Amino acid sequence: MRLSRYFLPILKENPREAEIVSHRLMLRAGMIRQQGQGSFTMLPLGKRVLDKVNRIIREEQDRAGALEILMPTIQSAELWKESGRYNDYGKEMLRIKDRQERDLLYGPTNEEMVTEIFRSYVKSYKDLPLNLYHIQWKFRDEVRPRFGVMRGREFLMKDAYSFDLNYEGARAAYNRMFVAYLRTFTRMGLKAIPMRADTGPIGGDLSHEFIILADTGESQVFCHKDFLDLAVPGESVDFRNDDEIGGIVKTWTTPYAATDEMHDEAAWSAIPEADRLSARGIEVGHIFHFGEKYSKPMGAKVQGPDGKEHFVSMGSYGIGPTRLIAAIIEASHDDAGIIWPESVAPFDVVIINMKAGDAECDRVCEELYAAHMAAGLDVLYDDTDNRAGGKFATADLIGVPWQVIVGPRGVAAGEVEVKRRSTGERDVKTIASLVESLGKTQ
């Protein structure tokens, strides 16, 4: 992508309305545009990051055996009245009527709708286990939306819903999602700690929030320092092996970890002081088991191996991709701007032409641009005639992991400078060796 043809509305000044780092940097880097209270447009740079976040989420959900569907944003109030939640959910639910005066709502979550889908088609235990997920827009009418996409009213959510014959099967489904979440956040460069949590309006009796530690976190969290050194399962983990998955979950839930709402001061005091970690945290995922909370009132049942009908045992599992982008920035930035983990960066490399219009600089930049794209990399080519300081500031602000700096003096010597955004390290490479190294990455 040539920067001269790209839509990247950079802001030089800090926006007054931005209270936290991620909101400020997303506005300054031209990632988002606020359209209303708690509502944002994802601009091209932000959409590229969002797509990469969603791709990782999908890969790990699919790996764990979940199946993707896509449910509507507008839901019938009748389903919520069946479950008993319509009047209980509160003012966060946006209630509307259509032209026939039918009660509808803009979905804040999808337990009722997915339960209706399940009960319409699944009648036997032989079709279990089943886990359906989608990535869809949600709306919750927050009293005070703030912090940009961290706490908006309209937001993207990956929500998965598991259906099993009994608690044992549901617990195995819960464990699979638990491990899938560990892998998901690790692939995005985050150290997420699963903490016992309150189930809130979703309901249920088993729940974990996945928390990343950040100074700007919304709430106080408490955990054993052992979590900092626990190994996350690799690609070889077998999600079909319930014992293996259960063992991983046991390892990750044995040390003490809890959000402020679930904090046990007595248990905390029993931990040696040197092993305690109390910090601010940001929630990046939340999983629940709630058994028959929805299946019973909505009649979602299957015939079991005993010939009798059983209400299915359910769970739900959420990740907010839009919120997750902000959380990554909160955890990875410096005074100059964003530092993207390579897995979710909008571009892998930015080629900076220090003297656009110079025949040799232009030639080398075009050669490198073509070579990087041929290697399968996402490339941003700064071919603008802006001053060098502005080009460096933009590259640092938007956080592209690698910068290739092409100037007249270096080109004359057959060299370019390569900068790693995360460390600031710079290395001079010959043009030939850089091109050759790209061929090895294919």
Side-chain angles (χ1 to χ4, degrees), residues 155-415:
F155 54 92
L156 197 62
M157 175 67 71
K158 185 288 301 183
D159 36 334
Y161 303 92
S162 62
F163 302 86
D164 289 272
L165 180 64
N166 50 35
Y167 175 80
E168 289 72 24
R171 183 58 198 255
Y174 185 95
N175 289 347
R176 287 191 288 274
M177 286 292 100
F178 188 106
V179 174
Y181 274 39
L182 291 177
R183 284 190 43 76
T184 297
F185 299 127
T186 295
R187 288 185 59 189
M188 296 181 193
L190 299 172
K191 183 71 173 183
I193 300 172
M195 301 192 177
R196 291 189 305 114
D198 184 25
T199 57
I202 301 294
D205 54 11
L206 176 63
S207 177
H208 284 89
E209 285 183 11
F210 288 77
I211 303 289
I212 63 167
L213 305 181
D215 292 338
T216 53
E218 302 167 291
S219 58
Q220 195 72 18
V221 295
F222 306 85
C223 69
H224 197 289
K225 286 185 177 178
D226 282 355
F227 278 106
L228 302 180
D229 299 318
L230 287 180
V232 173
E235 287 188 17
S236 62
V237 62
D238 185 358
F239 281 98
R240 297 167 299 179
N241 187 329
D242 289 346
D243 290 339
E244 178 184 349
I245 297 297
I248 295 169
V249 173
K250 183 176 181 180
T251 297
W252 277 85
T253 54
T254 297
Y256 182 85
T259 58
D260 198 22
E261 295 88 347
M262 301 294 287
H263 183 49
D264 183 337
E265 193 59 43
W268 181 245
S269 299
I271 301 172
E273 189 170 350
D275 293 331
R276 298 180 203 164
L277 179 59
S278 175
R280 306 297 295 179
I282 299 173
E283 177 195 338
V284 291
H286 202 163
I287 62 177
F288 309 83
H289 166 259
F290 40 69
E292 300 173 356
K293 177 179 172 65
Y294 300 94
S295 61
K296 205 164 192 176
M298 297 186 69
K301 50 191 176 182
V302 297
Q303 186 177 56
D306 55 4
K308 299 178 180 179
E309 289 191 324
H310 300 260
F311 292 107
V312 289
S313 188
M314 295 173 57
S316 74
Y317 317 90
I319 294 175
T322 42
R323 175 187 176 86
L324 188 51
I325 292 173
I328 293 171
I329 295 172
E330 292 292 333
S332 185
H333 68 272
D334 60 16
D335 291 342
I338 303 165
I339 303 174
W340 290 115
E342 293 190 18
S343 59
V344 297
F347 296 96
D348 299 308
V349 59
V350 54
I351 298 171
I352 302 175
N353 189 337
M354 297 289 288
K355 194 173 182 180
D358 177 87
E360 281 302 292
C361 283
D362 290 350
R363 180 187 63 78
V364 170
C365 285
E366 292 290 348
E367 178 186 336
L368 292 174
Y369 184 41
H372 280 82
M373 288 195 295
L377 298 173
D378 290 328
V379 193
L380 180 65
Y381 171 25
D382 188 345
D383 59 341
T384 65
D385 59 0
N386 296 330
R387 299 178 65 177
K391 293 191 176 199
F392 292 144
T394 294
D396 284 344
L397 174 62
I398 65 176
V400 178
W402 295 95
Q403 300 173 16
V404 176
I405 303 163
V406 181
R409 191 173 298 177
V411 167
E415 297 173 338

Side-chain angles (χ1 to χ4, degrees), residues 1-8 44 369 380-384:
M1 179 61 63
R2 298 174 188 274
L3 186 54
S4 62
R5 304 300 303 160
Y6 199 58
F7 182 56
L8 187 64
Y369 184 41
L380 180 65
Y381 171 25
D382 188 345
D383 59 341
T384 65

